[in-house]
Structures are given as C-alpha cells and as structure tokens.
Amino acid sequence: MNRDKYDENISLDALRKGDKKAFAQLVKANSEAIYRLALRMLNDPQDAEDILQETFIKAFHYLPNFEGRSKLSTWLYRIAVNESLMHIRKKKPQVTSIDEENETDQGDLVPKQIIDWCCLPEDSLLTSETQEYISKAVQDLSPANRAAFLLRDISGLSTREAAQALEISESALKTRLSRARLEMRELLTSYFSERMAAA
Amino acid sequence: MKKTKTISCQDVIDHLCDYIDSNLDEAQYLALKAHIADCQNCQIVINTLNKTIELCKSGSDNIKLPDEVRKRLIAKLGLEKLRDQ
C-alpha cells in the first residue's frame, strides 16, 4: 500500500473534527509502520504494542491542533519516537542524554574494520540468525542515533522528514545517521567476519 | 589515510551519507567517485555500508502487525464498528 497516497485521501478536516471513520482510515494506513518502528526501537513486542496504542491515542487527542506542516505519517512517527524515547528513559533513568547528543563530536565517524563481507552468498546473509543479530545490534545504538537510522533507512523517510519527526536540523540528522550507519556497519562486519573465518 | 588528488578517505567518510543518498552536487559526487574508484578501502566501506542498510531494511520489511495486536488496537481506540470499512 502506498501510505502517502492513502494519507492524502484522508480528510484532514474530518480528522480534526474527530471523525471516527477518517481516524479508522488513518489507523489502518499507518499502524503497521508505527508498530515496526516501535519494535525496532525497543526490541520487545509488548512494549511495541504499548507504543502503538499510545501513539494513536495521542494522535486522536491532538489531531484538532495538527497544523499540517508535515505529512500526517511524519507527525505519527514523531509521536511514536517520542513515546519510545520516554519509554527508554523510564526503563534506563541513568541514561541522561537520550535525545540530545553533541552534534559536533565527530570522534566515532571512522570505519575501523576494512573487511569485505559482501562476497558472502546471499543465503548466508539473509538467515533468521542474522536478522536476530541485527535486531539486537540496533539496540546498541544510542536511542537518538537509533531513531535517526530507523526513520531514514528503515521507515524510508526523507532526510527532511526524518529531521522533522525528530525536531532537529537536517544537519544534525545527518550526523546522527552517519554515526548510526557506521556503527551498524562495524557490528555487522564483526559478525560476518567471524562467519567468514569459521567457513 | 590514502590521498587521491585533493580527495582523501576522510573526505569520503565526511560525506558518506550525502554520497550514499545522492545528495551531493555533481562536482562533489564525481570527485568522491573518482577517489572511491581508485581506493579499495573506500570501496569496501561503501559496499558494506550499503549492504548493511539493505539487510536492516529487508529484515524490518518482514515485520508484520500481528492480527491480535491489530484487534486490541482497534478495541482500545473504540473503532470496532468501523474496522472493515
């Protein structure tokens, strides 16, 4: 389903007035994407379900104030990310800087392992074990970098939309995205080089 | 760090996102591309980075909303009567 097209066909006016039929359309068009994002953010199906429900409860509540400066789907992502970050904060109160990082710190932006694992056969890259590893590896990213990575590379938002959803500048989004991508690459390089060595 | 003309590996790293996402102007893109064509390390970084994104995306695309979760959501939002419309 093309969600953007779907969103465009839902009457914003009706949504703002609390029309349940229009709201049901919004839920139908976006619930899977929001669940997927929440599951990747938190790696726990029950937590992801809680975030999914809370996202749409909040959306219904705040729709009368939605100004339409972003797409509806981007706005829903923003709510879901904020809910997920709050959830992480509650679970790990010792993490003080969950969504604000030093944007100028470039210290980690250097690839450390130069190993070409792309030559591995596709069927050994696409195993369920690999996917399980990826789910866990995403949790190693800082929550702020994780959100940038998931919105941009998994949910498929543009740089501008992802920045809007996180309420940061495009430049800050790119910094977080670079770190997240490089960190994920390092983690997968370690994972696949072990398999290459064992083969 | 290896240097090719005025572009270094660090330049590639600094513009990695924009390079992968095709957000560079043509001159910048061609300069980086020329360095990468001549630098095996940068090729490996770019290729494994693209593959990393592809693997993460393909795994996430397989995540479906379970029926029971969808039903509980609909119930929580009081939309049961509108579910099939």
Side-chain angles (χ1 to χ4, degrees):
Chain A
M1 178 182 1
N2 182 334
R3 287 190 303 114
D4 287 349
K5 196 79 189 161
Y6 210 110
D7 277 0
E8 283 167 19
N9 290 333
I10 302 171
S11 164
L12 194 51
D13 231 24
L15 284 170
R16 285 189 183 124
K17 286 174 184 164
D19 182 315
K20 285 262 185 173
K21 194 174 170 184
F23 187 63
Q25 284 182 298
L26 184 74
V27 172
K28 186 178 179 182
N30 292 282
S31 49
E32 189 159 86
I34 297 296
Y35 178 76
R36 187 177 293 149
L37 173 71
L39 189 57
R40 280 301 198 212
M41 274 299 289
L42 304 169
N43 202 28
D44 182 291
Q46 184 55 57
D47 290 344
E49 181 173 353
D50 291 345
I51 299 300
L52 175 70
Q53 292 185 359
E54 202 53 39
T55 297
F56 283 105
I57 288 168
K58 289 221 160 131
F60 189 74
H61 183 75
Y62 290 110
L63 266 167
N65 305 324
F66 177 66
E67 294 175 357
R69 283 184 294 188
S70 65
K71 285 184 196 167
L72 273 166
S73 54
T74 305
W75 182 66
L76 290 172
Y77 279 127
R78 181 190 300 179
I79 299 172
V81 166
N82 284 340
E83 289 298 315
S84 299
L85 292 174
M86 271 199 288
H87 183 88
I88 294 167
R89 204 176 279 130
K90 277 182 200 161
K91 274 199 163 175
K92 292 184 179 175
Q94 73 275 20
V95 180
T96 52
S97 179
I98 220 160
D99 46 9
E100 293 173 16
E101 295 194 358
N102 182 0
E103 309 295 355
T104 59
D105 178 12
Q106 300 287 316
D108 294 330
L109 290 178
V110 179
K112 295 178 183 76
Q113 302 177 84
I114 310 292
I115 299 165
D116 190 0
W117 46 267
C118 291
C119 54
L120 284 166
E122 279 292 301
D123 57 358
S124 67
L125 293 173
L126 295 168
T127 62
S128 54
E129 188 195 340
T130 301
Q131 284 307 326
E132 201 174 313
Y133 178 79
I134 288 173
S135 300
K136 287 178 186 160
V138 170
Q139 305 305 304
D140 283 350
L141 303 175
S142 76
N145 292 351
R146 193 187 314 164
F149 177 69
L150 294 177
L151 287 171
R152 182 71 183 83
D153 287 340
I154 307 303
S155 301
L157 273 66
S158 68
T159 301
R160 182 164 176 264
E161 289 167 344
Q164 276 181 337
L166 295 174
E167 298 176 274
I168 58 176
S169 67
E170 288 188 37
S171 155
L173 187 279
K174 284 181 188 177
T175 302
R176 291 183 188 185
L177 187 58
S178 278
R179 284 187 194 159
R181 283 173 169 176
L182 283 170
E183 203 175 329
M184 283 302 293
R185 193 200 76 89
E186 292 293 332
L187 290 165
L188 282 188
T189 297
S190 299
Y191 176 80
F192 284 122
S193 42
E194 277 177 28
R195 266 132 202 88
M196 285 164 79
Chain B
M1 283 278 165
K2 180 176 177 178
K3 278 224 165 200
T4 305
K5 295 179 184 171
T6 54
I7 298 290
S8 68
C9 296
Q10 189 58 50
D11 291 325
V12 175
I13 302 308
D14 290 346
H15 296 92
L16 211 47
C17 271
D18 285 333
Y19 182 82
I20 285 181
D21 298 335
S22 305
N23 279 337
L24 295 169
D25 64 43
E26 195 180 358
Q28 280 180 306
Y29 176 77
L30 291 175
L32 291 177
K33 194 179 173 189
H35 170 89
I36 293 163
D38 197 33
C39 176
Q40 198 182 7
N41 284 356
C42 281
Q43 284 171 26
I44 291 172
V45 170
I46 297 272
N47 290 342
T48 50
L49 195 56
N50 275 324
K51 199 72 185 172
T52 295
I53 295 167
E54 184 191 319
L55 287 175
C56 293
K57 173 105 178 77
S58 68
S60 297
D61 286 347
N62 292 331
I63 297 172
K64 303 295 176 200
L65 181 63
D67 272 349
E68 62 272 23
V69 175
R70 190 190 306 273
K71 282 179 190 162
R72 285 195 290 269
L73 172 67
I74 297 293
K76 185 89 176 176
L77 298 171
L79 299 171
E80 295 98 324
K81 287 180 184 171
L82 300 162
R83 192 171 58 192
D84 298 323
Q85 291 184 21

